[in-house]
Structure formats: structure tokens, C-alpha cells
Amino acid sequence: MLGQDPAYVASNEISQASVMMKNRVEGRLGLVSNCWKVQLDGGASLRELVAQAANEGFRFVELRQGCLGECEDSKSRLPLADRLNSLAEHFPEITFDLAVELPVFSESIDVSSATVNGMLQSVKALSAHGHPAHLRIVDPFSKMVPIRQTADDEAESCFCLQDVVDSLSNLRTELPTGIVSVEHSFQPWAGFRTLFDVANSSECNVRVCYDPCNLWLAGDGEAADEITASLPVDWLSMVHLKQRVDSSVSTRLEPGDVDWSRQLNLLNDARYAGPFLFETTPSEDAWECLRDSRDYFVSIVRKL
């Protein structure tokens, strides 16, 4: 029978996965608040910007340290938990996460420190209306993920890969029902992948904030398709959407170095069901750029 033909079954499964993505993807779109940096620096209210995002149909907002407006201390750039809680309570339809800078690849993170504890409390404050508490980390200060410890390293007490895993595990313990995810930035992918192999084999349960465009920062852009195809889909907390044009990140999603048609096909084949967040370069025309980016993204999805 036709239904028993393996080739037919495989083709039908792919078709069903594509239909699922088309039917559900618009409810999985969001953005990172640094898209609004120009508006925030000009005095716009974060709450007003989130309100417009909700009206535009976005359902995920990543609140990026340095682009939190009235919800962070202007000098220290540290989030203000009470204001973030008020924001989350006001928008039950939005799933928030908090993106912070932590030097996880160069030093141990003390979860009891005032700075880190404040970040954790802010993450918990955002978990209103049943949404998960989600701490998203980036280390823009380190160019490499530390390697595994050797016998010589043990003698010298060098900072190593296990120290990173321990820090992430400690953060994860502070959010037992939440999510801790790490974004790759300037770090070569090979070291980043090793970190997650080690972390998740030890049941650390840390996830990846995946940004294919960032692979070019580390010189791994040519391997973007191979890297995406090799990623365990259950590692992914979200996918950032942006584009590199003429060696710079564009103000909108458009044709460029990242082959987004291929990337979305690979993610679709892997049954990725998580959110997609636009992280375009800030501009005066942020909303127009976000609408154009969404149209471009949806046009690709419709061809899957």
C-alpha cells in the first residue's frame, strides 16, 4: 500500500512538518529589545514599546541589558525587578526573557553576589502568568570557550571548561523550573559545541540561544548550514533572526550572508518548535524594519 512505502512516509512527514511550521510560526515570533535602542535612548518608554509589539502580533520579547529603559538602573545597567514584574503583569500575552552579560567563559559566577542575585530575582519577576523564568546569558568579553582541564592545568589551578559548566549548573539550580540559555558571540563554534556536549551530558540542562549570523563573528560562517544541521533540537531555547550584509548586521532581515531559506528548512526538518526573535540593528525606522523583516521571514516559511 502507498501508505506503507518508506519514501512516501518520509515525504509525508516532511510535508506535515512544513504545514505545522506555516500554521504556527507567526505565534512564535518576537524581538530583542536592542532593536529599540534608538527609541529608548530618545526617551521612549519600554512599556509603550512592548505595548506596540503586542499590538503588532509579537508574542516573545527578550529584554536585553542596556536596552531596558525605565526598567534598569541607568548607571549600573542592572535590571530593576519590581518594574520588570509590573511590566510582565501588564502583558500576559507576552513571554519575556532577560538577557544579561556575564563573563562565564573567563571566571566563576557567584550566584550569591548582589549583582547576580539581582539578575536572578529580575528573571523570576518576569515569570508572571505561568511563563517560565528564562535567563539568557552572553559573554561579549571572551573570545574563546576554555578547554577541558589537563593534568598540568590541575597543578596550576587554571580556569577550565568544567568551571563554566559548574557556573551554569549553579545558575540553573537557582531557577529549578526555569531556563538558562547561553548565546554564542565571538567564541568559535567548536569550543561552544564542546561546552554543551559536556554540560548536557552531566544533566546541567542548559540551552543554546542560537544565532546563525553570529557564526560570522567567530569565522565560522561558511559552516553555518553544517552547524545548524548538527544541533540537537532540544538544546535550543530560541533562534535569533538577523542578517549580515557587507560585513555589517543589517537593520532588517533580507538576503545576505546567512541563507535563511536553508536555515529555516534545516530547523523545520529538525522539528524545531520554539520562538524566533528578530535582532536587527537599531534604527530610527525600527518598526518599519521589523515589519519588513517579518514579511521576509514569512515569505520564506510559505515556501517550505
Side-chain angles (χ1 to χ4, degrees):
M1 293 177 62
L2 182 61
Q4 294 175 327
D5 184 338
Y8 170 81
V9 172
S11 175
N12 191 46
E13 286 178 350
I14 291 172
S15 176
Q16 288 176 346
S18 297
V19 168
M20 180 180 67
M21 177 173 251
K22 291 177 184 178
N23 288 342
R24 297 177 57 196
V25 74
E26 292 193 27
R28 292 156 55 194
L29 292 180
L31 55 93
V32 186
S33 66
N34 49 7
C35 293
W36 298 324
K37 183 169 175 38
V38 171
Q39 288 71 30
L40 289 165
D41 288 350
S45 160
L46 180 64
R47 178 170 294 208
E48 291 173 355
L49 292 167
V50 172
Q52 184 164 349
N55 290 336
E56 296 273 347
F58 294 108
R59 291 295 173 259
F60 292 83
V61 175
E62 179 167 271
L63 297 172
R64 178 68 161 86
Q65 184 180 14
C67 292
L68 303 182
E70 69 275 13
C71 292
E72 69 184 345
D73 182 88
S74 60
K75 294 182 179 179
S76 67
R77 297 170 67 242
L78 292 176
L80 301 173
D82 56 339
R83 296 188 184 182
L84 289 174
N85 180 251
S86 175
L87 182 73
E89 290 287 352
H90 195 72
F91 296 101
E93 70 273 41
I94 301 290
T95 299
F96 293 97
D97 72 274
L98 181 65
V100 300
E101 298 173 358
L102 285 174
V104 289
F105 299 140
S106 60
E107 60 185 77
S108 294
I109 303 302
D110 180 4
V111 296
S112 67
S113 71
T115 295
V116 178
N117 182 259
M119 292 174 174
L120 289 166
Q121 295 308 312
S122 293
V123 170
K124 294 172 183 177
L126 285 168
S127 61
H129 303 289
H131 297 301
H134 185 170
L135 176 68
R136 201 273 283 171
I137 299 165
V138 66
D139 183 347
F141 317 104
S142 305
K143 301 297 184 182
M144 301 288 291
V145 176
I147 60 174
R148 295 175 190 251
Q149 192 173 48
T150 66
D152 289 340
D153 293 332
E154 290 179 8
E156 298 178 12
S157 299
C158 295
F159 187 82
C160 68
L161 188 68
Q162 188 57 48
D163 294 308
V164 181
V165 173
D166 290 345
S167 288
L168 295 176
S169 180
N170 291 338
L171 288 164
R172 182 72 181 81
T173 299
E174 296 296 316
L175 299 171
T177 60
I179 300 167
V180 174
S181 63
V182 185
E183 183 183 24
H184 53 106
S185 54
F186 298 101
Q187 302 82 25
W189 181 258
F192 198 82
R193 173 63 193 248
T194 299
L195 166 65
F196 276 83
D197 283 333
V198 172
N200 289 320
S201 67
S202 64
E203 300 184 355
C204 182
N205 198 24
V206 177
R207 299 190 191 177
V208 179
C209 168
Y210 187 51
D211 189 328
C213 190
N214 278 2
L215 295 171
W216 272 261
L217 295 176
D220 292 320
E222 294 302 316
D225 293 348
E226 178 184 349
I227 289 169
T228 301
S230 71
L231 267 174
V233 71
D234 59 348
W235 284 9
L236 302 179
S237 66
M238 69 183 80
V239 174
H240 278 182
L241 301 169
K242 61 179 184 253
Q243 184 59 279
R244 185 174 181 265
V245 178
D246 296 329
S247 300
S248 299
V249 176
S250 176
T251 56
R252 53 178 42 83
L253 202 66
E254 60 181 326
D257 289 338
V258 183
D259 184 347
W260 275 110
S261 178
R262 179 63 177 151
Q263 288 290 312
L264 293 178
N265 267 288
L266 290 167
L267 291 165
N268 191 48
D269 290 349
R271 309 294 198 271
Y272 173 66
F276 293 93
L277 276 67
F278 295 103
E279 191 184 17
T280 53
T281 292
S283 73
E284 294 283 352
D285 303 318
W287 290 110
E288 179 182 345
C289 291
L290 285 165
R291 294 183 195 112
D292 289 347
S293 297
R294 180 170 55 190
D295 290 346
Y296 179 73
F297 176 83
V298 171
S299 73
I300 295 174
V301 171
R302 286 175 178 161
K303 297 175 184 176
L304 293 178

